[in-house]
Amino acid sequence: MGFIKEFKEFISKGNIFDMAVGIIMGSAFTAIVNSLVKDILSPFLGLFTGGINFNDLSVKFGDAEFKYGSFIMTAINFFLIALVLFLLIKAMMGFKKAALRKTEAVAEEEPTTKICPFCKSEIDISATRCPHCTSILEDTEKN
């Protein structure tokens, strides 16, 4: 009975669902990247190689056939997939940094101090009484 209870607790934890969503999204993303490489980048690469289909390249020694062209194409696909992933991650990080800079710029633009209208001292923006002259400040005044 304890085993079933432990299994229920394990399966109902949020981490399992997060991991499942991550795996499913990873599979979908893999399909997109593979299609990009197979359907767009590889044919584009074929323009520069004169339309050679590397998959057809092979050499026979007796009854054994070594399909070295298939290996070359797999290696090329690996490097193309790595390049696509690198460029996507680099672009995403660039967008993330730009958004962070924009958020920081907005935060920096917001004033944190104001000037007391009576003694002209710089005080905290949320102050309701000036610490220098002890004047009572109105809430609507920001500078």
Side-chain angles (χ1 to χ4, degrees), residues 14-53:
N15 299 359
I16 296 297
F17 296 112
D18 293 342
M19 185 176 67
V21 169
I23 290 170
I24 292 167
M25 291 302 295
S27 297
F29 188 72
T30 299
I32 290 170
V33 171
N34 285 337
S35 176
L36 177 66
V37 169
K38 179 184 168 193
D39 300 330
I40 296 173
L41 296 179
S42 291
F44 184 73
L45 184 64
L47 294 174
F48 296 106
T49 60
I52 297 173
N53 185 355

Side-chain angles (χ1 to χ4, degrees), residues 41-89:
L41 296 179
S42 291
F44 184 73
L45 184 64
L47 294 174
F48 296 106
T49 60
I52 297 173
N53 185 355
F54 288 103
N55 288 323
D56 296 337
L57 299 177
S58 64
V59 65
K60 286 187 177 184
F61 290 111
D63 291 336
E65 181 179 8
F66 296 95
K67 298 182 178 184
Y68 67 92
S70 179
F71 174 77
I72 291 171
M73 202 63 222
T74 301
I76 290 171
N77 284 342
F78 169 79
F79 287 113
L80 288 175
I81 289 170
L83 176 66
V84 167
L85 288 176
F86 171 75
L87 293 174
L88 285 173
I89 290 170

